[in-house]
Amino acid sequence: MTLWNGSYPFYPGANARFPFDTTRAVIVAVFLSVLATFIVILPGIPARGRLCWFLRLVLGLFMGAVILNVQFTRDWETGWVQANTSYKSFSAAQVSADIGLHIGLAGLNVTLRGNPVRQINETINYNEHFPWSFGADYDLSYSQGLQKGLPSPILYVAEKFSRQSPCAVHGQYRIAGHYASAMLWLAFCTWLISILLFSMSILLYGGQMLLLTATLILFSLLFFSTMRNTLKCPIQFGPVSLRTDYGESFWLTLATGLLCLLLGLGIIILNSLQPQKLKLIFSLDKGSEEEQWDKSCLPAEPSCSAQDGRMVPLGELCHGTDTQL
């Protein structure tokens, strides 16, 4: 008995594809485990601040998960086209297929899916990755694809991004992905610092670090946007061409950056205008009330119930105790 359309998942073979990205699955599992752990202790939180505490937890984990997850996604820029194209080199066989291009920070994926999947006595369902991150050799992965005999549409799209291509986009995407990834790693570090500051009730500095996190996220988007140019040579499949646009990871990163920006600005403004409301949101009002009560009951205050004795001047006390010899 086999799995996933007849391919063995634990042994190499033709068209053997793992059904999901394991890196993203590990990241999501870790953050969900943290969320589940805190949900278990949620009944121990006082009812008055339970909702605010839960919202802070969800928003904080969501921002961290997105910042870390988009580092490994491959849909910062995507494009699809349906075309009738040749399937193999030196063959006149034509197939009807959906061809997809998915660009990430560390490389690109080319998808070829038959429409229908079963054609010319083969299952046409490919998803090949070609890395260009620092330390990876894009041309080597392309040469390995030639040796494996990948379908012609995949090799045709991958060739457009090689170093020898006249499109001259390999260096642009590689540098853009490198700087965007560096900005996101810095944003993840500042997010961790902001979480630490909020847990220590240092709200102003936590809001400032959250604002710095938003700035770094927006800079990563700026690097990816400005350093990529329109292809000089189109990816053409007969009468249709494959065009790309910003994908889900780009828009999700933009939404997370704007969320960090709004939260950081909100915390800083509330801290300067209405600090009591900010303490109420972070469940710090009870501690401040206890501190005020302690200050009001100092021994110097004559109205305090703990000091109900009358204060007598030192001169009168000495005069009253003086005796005649």
Side-chain angles (χ1 to χ4, degrees):
M1 184 177 180
T2 60
L3 300 175
W4 296 309
N5 297 327
S7 63
Y8 293 91
F10 303 108
Y11 301 95
N15 295 343
R17 299 170 54 233
F18 206 74
F20 54 86
D21 189 351
T22 55
T23 304
R24 297 176 61 182
V26 170
I27 294 173
V28 172
V30 169
F31 278 89
L32 287 180
S33 300
V34 175
L35 178 61
T37 302
F38 281 100
I39 289 177
V40 170
I41 66 175
L42 185 61
I45 305 299
R48 184 179 178 183
R50 187 176 299 166
L51 179 60
C52 292
W53 186 87
F54 182 73
L55 289 178
R56 295 198 308 268
L57 173 66
V58 172
L59 288 176
L61 291 178
F62 172 77
M63 290 184 292
V66 171
I67 295 172
L68 188 60
N69 200 19
V70 294
Q71 291 272 6
F72 308 99
T73 55
R74 298 164 187 173
D75 54 354
W76 280 71
E77 191 176 346
T78 60
W80 284 92
V81 68
Q82 184 177 359
N84 294 322
T85 179
S86 61
Y87 182 55
K88 294 286 187 179
S89 300
F90 309 105
S91 175
Q94 296 279 324
V95 295
S96 176
D98 296 324
I99 306 167
L101 175 60
H102 315 280
I103 300 175
L105 300 181
L108 61 88
N109 275 51
V110 184
T111 303
L112 179 67
R113 187 180 305 150
N115 190 12
V117 177
R118 188 72 180 178
Q119 297 183 50
I120 59 174
N121 296 326
E122 289 189 27
T123 300
I124 304 175
N125 191 10
Y126 291 84
N127 186 13
E128 298 294 330
H129 179 62
F130 300 91
W132 59 45
S133 59
F134 288 98
D137 193 342
Y138 184 91
D139 293 334
L140 177 61
S141 61
Y142 176 72
S143 300
Q144 292 175 350
L146 288 173
Q147 295 175 2
K148 290 191 298 183
L150 294 177
S152 297
I154 296 179
L155 296 175
Y156 170 68
V157 175
E159 185 183 7
K160 297 291 184 179
F161 293 86
S162 63
R163 294 182 179 180
Q164 293 77 20
S165 173
C167 296
V169 295
H170 176 83
Q172 296 173 6
Y173 275 100
R174 185 168 180 257
I175 294 175
H178 174 72
Y179 281 104
S181 178
M183 291 295 103
L184 287 175
W185 280 119
L186 289 176
F188 184 74
C189 294
T190 55
W191 170 80
L192 286 176
I193 296 175
S194 68
I195 294 297
L196 179 62
L197 292 174
F198 286 138
S199 64
M200 298 171 61
S201 302
I202 309 176
L203 305 182
L204 178 59
Y205 291 156
Q208 292 174 352
M209 293 305 298
L210 201 59
L211 194 61
L212 180 58
T213 302
T215 304
L216 292 172
I217 293 175
L218 296 178
F219 264 107
S220 70
L221 298 173
L222 182 63
F223 279 124
F224 187 81
S225 300
T226 57
M227 298 187 69
R228 74 170 191 93
N229 296 327
T230 306
L231 294 177
K232 298 179 181 178
C233 43
I235 304 176
Q236 198 75 24
F237 292 96
V240 295
S241 60
L242 177 59
R243 301 182 182 275
T244 60
D245 201 356
Y246 293 122
E248 296 179 0
S249 293
F250 182 89
W251 298 116
L252 183 59
T253 306
L254 178 60
T256 305
L258 294 178
L259 178 63
C260 292
L261 181 64
L262 292 176
L263 292 177
L265 287 176
I267 291 173
I268 294 174
I269 293 173
L270 281 177
N271 184 79
S272 60
L273 298 180
Q274 295 181 343
Q276 295 301 326
K277 288 188 177 180
L278 183 62
K279 291 181 179 180
L280 181 63
I281 294 175
F282 281 86
S283 303
L284 300 179
D285 55 335
K286 184 177 179 181
S288 61
E289 291 176 358
E290 291 178 355
E291 182 180 357
Q292 292 177 0
W293 187 86
D294 292 338
K295 289 182 179 180
S296 64
C297 292
L298 290 176
E301 292 292 336
S303 60
C304 181
S305 60
Q307 298 289 334
D308 52 355
R310 186 173 181 272
M311 303 295 293
V312 180
L314 181 61
E316 296 181 1
L317 181 62
C318 294
H319 179 75
T321 58
D322 190 14
T323 58
Q324 296 290 334
L325 292 175

